[in-house]
Amino acid sequence: MNAENPIWGLISTFGLMSLFAVGGAAAAVPEMHRIAVDVHHWMTDKQFADAYAIAQLSPGPNVLIVTLIGYAVAGIPGALAATLAMCLPTALLAYYVSRLLNRPNQSRWPGLIQAALVPLSIGLMAASALILAESTDRTLAALLLTATVALVASVSRINPLWILLVGGLLGFAGIV
């Protein structure tokens, strides 16, 4: 196994990360950012933010950010390697844990574990939002847009796609 091969770097990075991504790939965004931008220099802050935006706009699971990072590093083979490395270990672990938790016993542990994971997942998603805001909000207009979107999203029932569309139009117009 050649340590210089970017494919092995993607596999080892995302294979290990998948086991700690409680709440899915979206919860691991801060760590993905740290590794892809700061540690390996696979991407810039802007490239990471753009890849994240594309992954969020695309239909399908949030794990698409991993695919885009892999593609940026090593093309289609990198995209496949990163995606499989992020999905396969977690899928296998989830399968075996679910079989263990679904055994017919009266233990309180499954409910306690699930209840404990809720605040952890919320905290990881909040950290993801903070990392992305710090890497993209370079102007007062961008900072105000982020704060406005956070406020509107938290107090209204507006479909997030409309909010994304308005943000995209503001970016296209050069306002942010």
Side-chain angles (χ1 to χ4, degrees):
M1 179 166 35
N2 182 0
E4 297 297 318
N5 186 342
I7 300 289
W8 288 116
L10 290 166
I11 291 171
S12 63
T13 297
F14 290 115
L16 181 60
M17 189 182 302
S18 74
L19 297 174
F20 296 101
V22 177
V29 169
E31 183 63 8
M32 284 182 212
H33 177 270
R34 188 185 74 78
I35 288 173
V37 176
D38 300 331
V39 175
H40 291 294
H41 307 288
W42 288 332
M43 314 174 98
T44 65
D45 271 334
K46 175 143 178 36
Q47 288 170 323
F48 185 88
D50 290 346
Y52 182 79
I54 290 168
Q56 290 302 301
L57 284 172
S58 301
N62 286 333
V63 77
L64 291 175
I65 181 71
V66 173
T67 306
L68 295 172
I69 293 170
Y71 184 79
V73 172
I76 292 174
L80 291 171
T83 304
L84 286 174
M86 188 69 180
C87 295
L88 195 58
T90 304
L92 292 174
L93 180 64
Y95 173 74
Y96 287 111
V97 168
S98 70
R99 290 192 55 173
L100 180 68
L101 293 177
N102 285 329
R103 289 189 177 163
N105 62 10
Q106 300 302 321
S107 176
R108 292 180 24 200
W109 284 106
L112 292 173
I113 291 170
Q114 289 172 340
L117 290 176
V118 170
L120 177 65
S121 297
I122 292 170
L124 288 170
M125 286 187 268
S128 300
L130 180 63
I131 292 286
L132 290 170
E134 287 176 344
S135 67
T136 58
D137 290 346
R138 303 278 186 216
T139 65
L140 181 60
L143 183 62
L144 289 173
L145 178 63
T146 299
T148 302
V149 166
L151 182 65
V152 168
S154 65
V155 299
S156 74
R157 301 185 116 195
I158 295 174
N159 188 320
L161 290 176
W162 291 114
I163 296 172
L164 286 170
L165 177 65
V166 170
L169 290 173
L170 291 172
F172 186 71
I175 296 170
V176 289

